[in-house]
Amino acid sequence: MELRHQHQHGYEYVDEGQGPVLLLLHGLFGALSNWQDVVTEFSADYRVIIPLLPIYDMPLTQAGVPGLVAYVEGFVKALALPPTFTVLGNSLGGHIALVYTLNNKARVSRLVLTGSSGLFEDSMGGSFPKRGNYAYVQERVGYTFYDPNVATQELVDEVFNVTNSNAKCLRIIAIARSAQRHNLSKELTKIEVPTLLVWGLNDTITPPPVAHEFARLLPHAELRFLDHCCHAPMMERPAGFNRYLRRFLRTTETAPAVAA
């Protein structure tokens, strides 16, 4: 299915399907299309919502994890989402999902993390990406996937264009450094909701020991691995990711909330 982008209330987002809400958050170099297979699979039974995070154009003074969490809080309010919903996050999106949950415990009923930052990550952020070096960008984007061929030319071109903008690069660096500063190891025990961790067994950015540490610190977490998979399981192993997600949603189902 083709993702239809909506523009309302000053936000760009995808909103597909009807039913309990799944709020999906993409990563630092991510896009709405990262969740394409989740939307296709689950929009028949759920209302799947993906805000486009303003990573490249938010005010530089707000470029960081707290600023992005505030953006998500504003988005949830603007769309008048139900009192409770499930939040999913990949990479930086997982970090935002965790902080959002800590700040809004009454609203998050379930949490799904895949390749999440918040404890440790090894990424292109934090230092100025090499401008004008297409081969370098291609290598780093390919580093996100077990099979570098998953990094399409369209995706590489998109990241290359971002790294050629000083303004965008400054925001990427600010956000990446903010993520590294905001270590959540002392906060995770406060998250009481059921949590699914789906990790690539070959993740080089947030390696499997990071997933095990999340599982140890989160009180109600279950951890699932996908082999031949790196940092974005919902893109690289969508069938396996969706299978784990559906099972988790089914086994943790609660009575549907009434819309606010």
Side-chain angles (χ1 to χ4, degrees):
M1 65 182 294
E2 186 73 24
L3 295 184
R4 295 174 297 136
H5 291 207
Q6 299 194 37
H7 299 80
Q8 291 188 55
H9 316 295
Y11 298 94
E12 180 178 350
Y13 59 97
V14 166
D15 188 347
E16 297 283 356
Q18 298 291 329
V21 168
L22 304 180
L23 180 66
L24 280 48
L25 303 175
H26 63 75
L28 185 60
F29 285 96
L32 302 180
S33 60
N34 293 174
W35 296 103
Q36 171 82 55
D37 290 286
V38 173
V39 178
T40 301
E41 173 76 16
F42 289 93
S43 57
D45 306 302
Y46 295 87
R47 182 183 174 193
V48 185
I49 302 174
I50 321 169
L52 181 65
L53 300 176
I55 287 168
Y56 305 134
D57 51 15
M58 65 193 305
L60 191 55
T61 55
Q62 298 171 25
V65 171
L68 289 166
V69 172
Y71 183 89
V72 172
E73 289 172 339
F75 176 77
V76 167
K77 184 177 181 181
L79 265 67
L81 295 190
T84 61
F85 44 85
T86 302
V87 183
L88 295 80
N90 170 241
S91 194
L92 174 70
H95 201 153
I96 297 165
L98 285 163
V99 179
Y100 179 87
T101 301
L102 286 164
N103 292 354
N104 302 272
K105 291 180 181 177
R107 302 221 64 171
V108 179
S109 58
R110 295 175 292 198
L111 193 55
V112 180
L113 306 174
T114 180
S116 178
S117 62
L119 292 177
F120 167 82
E121 65 278 348
D122 174 23
S123 66
M124 185 155 65
S127 61
F128 208 86
K130 294 182 182 178
R131 298 186 65 200
N133 190 329
Y134 190 87
Y136 171 79
V137 171
Q138 188 172 33
E139 178 189 344
R140 295 303 299 183
V141 173
Y143 187 62
T144 305
F145 303 101
Y146 177 79
D147 177 4
N149 292 324
V150 175
T152 62
Q153 183 176 345
E154 181 183 7
L155 180 60
V156 175
D157 288 347
E158 184 178 332
V159 176
F160 180 72
N161 290 334
V162 168
T163 62
N164 275 330
S165 163
N166 277 345
K168 291 179 180 179
C169 274
L170 286 171
R171 284 158 178 79
I172 290 167
I173 293 167
I175 292 168
R177 288 177 176 168
S178 170
Q180 290 165 357
R181 285 196 307 272
H182 286 80
N183 186 286
L184 298 176
S185 57
K186 295 179 181 178
E187 304 291 321
L188 295 180
T189 56
K190 300 174 185 176
I191 295 178
E192 295 286 345
V193 297
T195 304
L196 173 66
L197 306 169
V198 182
W199 236 258
L201 199 56
N202 312 96
D203 192 337
T204 52
I205 295 172
T206 49
V210 176
H212 284 292
E213 185 67 0
F214 271 117
R216 185 182 74 83
L217 292 170
L218 289 161
H220 303 289
E222 60 178 88
L223 173 59
R224 300 288 181 263
F225 283 107
L226 289 167
D227 200 3
H228 299 103
C229 181
C230 194
H231 192 56
M234 73 289 183
M235 294 175 69
E236 196 162 19
R237 292 288 304 278
F241 180 88
N242 287 343
R243 184 169 62 251
Y244 285 138
L245 177 56
R246 187 168 290 282
R247 186 182 306 159
F248 172 74
L249 294 175
R250 186 175 63 247
T251 58
T252 57
E253 211 160 54
T254 56
V258 178

